[in-house]
């Protein structure tokens, strides 16, 4: 029963995309997940949902209305070029390797004990 | 008469002067000529309707009007030139030369820093704060004056409280004005929120709301506004003639009251 309306539509030729503010009306339901929003936008703008990136959805106080931002790229190549890595990761197009926080901190502390070029060796060694 | 002889004998040569002034002379002259022609016509009794002289007059008048601000801007230069002509030549080291000398400025700054570094060692160890702006002087104010001022201010503030405003409305004879109540707190918060959302939508990003802002939004939107109903302002300045004590007490009570109410409410829920 969710309705999607778009506002402030703009064609950004420099970044080869169309950007807009997306208003989702969902009275009586929880916030719609981003994947569903993408499907609906794809139907509206007659593209595939994989070039659509939406983010920043905030539900208004009291529920029923959510607004967020949506970008529709001209092609997936442009999307891969211009989108930030974390958003590509959400779609599964890029894998960001993450060493754990604890590992990073321990490596830093090991590096503190050594001076100069040996620092790099210490990190790789990981006793 | 004398002037006329001089003018005809070409004693007033303006070819070497400022061309702007030359133009002005010529315009004024032609304006005068046209004007005398028109007055001659009128005195003779012939009509001046559709006379080309009038068009010429209007044209010259508009040009003169447009020249007036330029004249004002050139005034400084013209005065300079007149002064040099009168005094008969300038000295190369004349302090009032046509242009500002930036070298003078730089050397001044150097001198200042040098003198400062020297002076520091010579002066005593007393700290003198730098004199940047003018500060209010209150050395000649006695304790009594200060108290009086505080009392006056408190009285003024008390006069504009909601209680006295309602009293005044009760006894005034003018028509009552019914206005929509806009609490300043709420309007401020609303304005801030509106600015924020506008920025967010323009720049396609979301702000992370700090704890302070979150609490303020909760406070404005929540039940705490009911506490303000029973909170009246202090008008002891008018009733007792003494300034109210440090106003922190009222603010503290507000926060304390809200906290207590919140706690009680929560506890009640738990029990039931």
């Amino acid at each position: 029963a969710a309705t999607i309306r778009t506002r402030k539509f703009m064609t950004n030729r420099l970044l080869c995309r169309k950007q807009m503010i997306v208003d989702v009306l969902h009275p009586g339901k929880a916030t719609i997940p981003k994947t569903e929003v993408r499907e609906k936008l794809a139907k509206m703008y007659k593209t595939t949902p994989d070039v659509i990136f939406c983010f920043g959805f905030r539900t208004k106080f009291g529920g029923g209305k959510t607004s967020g931002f949506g970008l529709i790229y001209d092609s997936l190549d442009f999307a891969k070029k211009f989108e930030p890595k974390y958003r590509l990761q959400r779609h599964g197009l890029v894998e960001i390797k993450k060493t754990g926080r604890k590992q990073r901190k321990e490596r830093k502390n090991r590096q503190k004990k050594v001076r100069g070029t040996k620092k790099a060796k210490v990190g790789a060694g990981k006793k | 008469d004398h002037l006329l002889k001089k003018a005809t004998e070409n004693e007033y040569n303006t070819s070497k002067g400022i061309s702007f002034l030359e133009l002005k002379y010529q315009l004024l002259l032609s304006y005068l000529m046209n004007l005398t022609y028109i007055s001659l016509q009128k005195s003779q009794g012939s009509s001046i309707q559709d006379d080309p002289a009038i068009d010429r007059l209007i044209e010259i008048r508009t040009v003169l009007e447009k020249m007036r601000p330029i004249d004002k801007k050139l005034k400084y230069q013209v005065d300079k030139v007149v002064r040099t002509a009168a005094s008969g030549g300038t000295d190369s080291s004349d302090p009032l030369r046509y242009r500002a000398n930036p070298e003078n400025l730089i050397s001044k700054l150097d001198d200042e820093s040098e003198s400062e570094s020297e002076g520091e060692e010579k002066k005593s160890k007393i700290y003198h704060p730098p004199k940047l702006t003018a500060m209010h002087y209150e050395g000649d104010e006695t304790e009594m004056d200060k108290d009086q001022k505080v009392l006056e201010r408190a009285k003024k503030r008390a006069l504009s409280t909601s209680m006295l405003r309602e009293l005044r409305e009760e006894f005034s004879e003018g028509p009552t004005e019914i206005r929509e109540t806009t609490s300043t707190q709420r309007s401020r918060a609303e304005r801030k929120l509106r600015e924020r959302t506008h920025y967010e939508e323009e720049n396609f990003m979301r702000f992370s709301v700090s704890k302070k802002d979150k609490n303020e939004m909760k406070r404005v939107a929540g039940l705490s506004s009911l506490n303000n109903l029973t909170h009246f302002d202090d008008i002891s300045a008018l009733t007792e003639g003494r300034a109210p004590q440090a106003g922190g007490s009222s603010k503290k009570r507000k926060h304390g009251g809200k906290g207590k109410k919140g706690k009680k409410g929560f506890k009640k829920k738990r029990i039931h």
Side-chain angles (χ1 to χ4, degrees):
Chain A
T3 328
I4 293 195
R5 279 200 291 225
T6 60
R7 268 192 300 142
K8 285 199 179 171
F9 181 85
M10 188 172 95
T11 313
N12 193 339
R13 283 272 124 243
L14 297 166
L15 295 172
C16 318
R17 71 185 185 199
K18 305 187 188 93
Q19 52 196 49
M20 69 210 75
I21 300 177
V22 178
D23 281 336
V24 186
L25 300 165
H26 48 93
K29 291 207 291 200
T31 310
I32 306 251
K34 289 195 283 264
T35 44
E36 278 188 42
V37 175
R38 277 169 70 207
E39 308 278 317
K40 294 215 158 95
L41 274 176
K43 247 190 279 174
M44 273 172 75
Y45 285 90
K46 299 176 193 87
T47 55
T48 54
D50 56 341
V51 287
I52 301 182
F53 291 79
C54 35
F55 58 97
F57 281 96
R58 290 285 158 90
T59 313
K60 261 201 159 66
F61 187 78
K65 187 166 178 209
T66 310
S67 36
F69 307 114
L71 310 167
I72 305 179
Y73 280 88
D74 291 346
S75 83
L76 200 58
D77 290 330
F78 285 128
K80 284 195 192 152
K81 199 167 155 201
F82 293 123
E83 275 289 288
K85 297 286 184 294
Y86 73 93
R87 263 187 243 151
L88 292 170
Q89 200 210 17
R90 286 182 191 175
H91 287 210
L93 300 164
V94 155
E95 277 288 317
I96 305 178
K97 249 197 290 180
K98 270 220 176 127
T99 51
R101 189 160 179 233
K102 214 46 186 160
Q103 263 73 309
R104 274 184 274 145
K105 287 187 188 271
E106 282 173 3
R107 180 170 189 238
K108 178 220 16 148
N109 287 332
R110 262 177 269 128
Q111 277 179 334
K112 278 199 285 187
K113 293 187 200 159
V114 193
R115 193 82 173 78
T117 42
K118 297 203 190 79
K119 280 195 199 275
K121 284 195 204 137
V122 168
K126 234 205 270 189
K127 286 180 226 171
Chain B
D1 203 44
H2 192 61
L3 197 71
L4 200 67
K5 217 196 328 180
K6 269 198 170 175
T8 47
E9 285 176 18
N10 275 347
E11 268 200 41
Y12 293 120
N13 192 356
T14 55
S15 58
K16 281 192 195 162
I18 303 173
S19 53
F20 175 77
L21 292 177
E22 165 96 43
L23 175 69
K24 209 173 178 188
Y25 293 148
Q26 300 289 351
L27 282 175
L28 284 168
L29 265 175
S30 33
Y31 190 82
L32 270 175
M33 284 196 287
N34 279 309
L35 205 64
T36 44
Y37 174 72
I38 295 263
S39 35
L40 185 71
Q41 292 275 1
K42 277 180 122 172
S43 59
Q44 281 181 346
S46 47
S47 89
I48 50 167
Q49 189 130 7
D50 297 331
D51 208 325
I54 295 183
D55 295 324
R56 264 178 263 143
L57 269 178
I58 295 168
E59 202 185 311
I60 296 167
R61 194 61 194 282
T62 45
V63 176
L64 278 171
E65 291 285 318
K66 289 208 194 255
M67 280 169 71
R68 212 191 294 157
I70 309 171
D71 197 27
K72 196 171 167 208
K73 284 184 188 161
L74 279 180
K75 187 173 161 350
Y76 181 68
Q77 295 276 33
V78 167
D79 286 345
K80 270 275 154 71
V81 175
V82 163
R83 215 183 304 154
T84 52
S87 66
T90 47
D91 214 359
S92 64
S93 60
D94 192 8
L96 300 170
R97 266 176 63 188
Y98 301 133
R99 272 195 227 110
N101 193 357
E103 287 172 38
N104 282 339
L105 292 169
I106 298 170
S107 58
K108 268 191 188 167
L109 285 172
D110 281 339
D111 286 339
E112 266 188 16
S113 65
E114 277 177 30
S115 66
E116 260 184 31
S117 60
E118 285 176 347
E120 254 182 77
E121 297 171 37
K122 290 185 195 167
K123 277 187 188 164
S124 58
K125 301 281 183 178
I126 298 173
Y127 171 70
H128 291 285
K131 295 180 185 166
L132 297 165
T133 53
M135 298 302 291
H136 181 64
Y137 176 63
E138 23 178 77
D140 289 340
E141 230 180 50
T142 59
E143 190 72 38
M144 260 186 18
D145 282 338
K146 275 194 207 149
D147 287 336
Q148 248 186 349
K149 269 198 183 165
V150 168
L151 182 63
E152 268 176 40
R153 266 192 224 129
K155 273 194 194 165
K156 230 203 283 186
R157 235 181 301 140
L159 280 175
S160 64
T161 55
S162 53
M163 262 205 287
L164 287 179
R165 247 187 286 143
E166 280 178 16
L167 267 177
R168 233 179 277 144
E169 274 172 30
E170 216 183 297
F171 293 111
S172 75
E173 290 169 1
T176 51
E177 191 182 332
I178 302 177
R179 246 189 297 174
E180 181 190 303
T181 52
T182 46
S183 90
T184 44
Q185 236 182 3
R186 195 156 253 168
S187 62
R188 227 190 306 137
E190 263 178 28
R191 207 189 312 138
K192 201 167 167 200
L193 191 66
R194 220 184 314 139
E195 269 177 39
R196 196 167 266 197
T197 46
H198 181 77
Y199 187 90
E200 279 184 354
E201 292 188 348
E202 284 290 303
N203 298 29
F204 260 64
M205 45 94 80
R206 288 284 182 206
F207 280 116
S208 50
V209 197
S210 67
K211 256 194 200 159
K212 195 162 71 141
D213 289 331
K214 233 192 277 187
N215 286 333
E216 206 186 304
M217 280 203 278
K218 247 194 253 177
R219 202 158 53 82
V220 166
L223 293 172
S224 62
S225 49
L226 286 176
N227 281 330
N228 293 336
L229 287 175
T230 54
H231 179 253
F232 293 113
D233 298 312
D234 199 356
I235 52 168
S236 62
L238 294 172
T239 55
E240 293 163 38
R242 64 158 171 81
Q245 271 86 23
S249 57
S250 53
K251 272 193 182 160
K252 275 184 196 159
R253 214 181 301 139
K254 225 197 259 186
H255 274 285
K258 190 240 175 183
K260 268 196 203 157
K261 193 169 188 197
K263 262 190 196 165
K264 246 189 180 175
F266 183 63
K267 264 190 184 159
K268 256 187 176 172
K269 267 189 189 167
R270 287 264 312 273
I271 289 167
H272 288 297

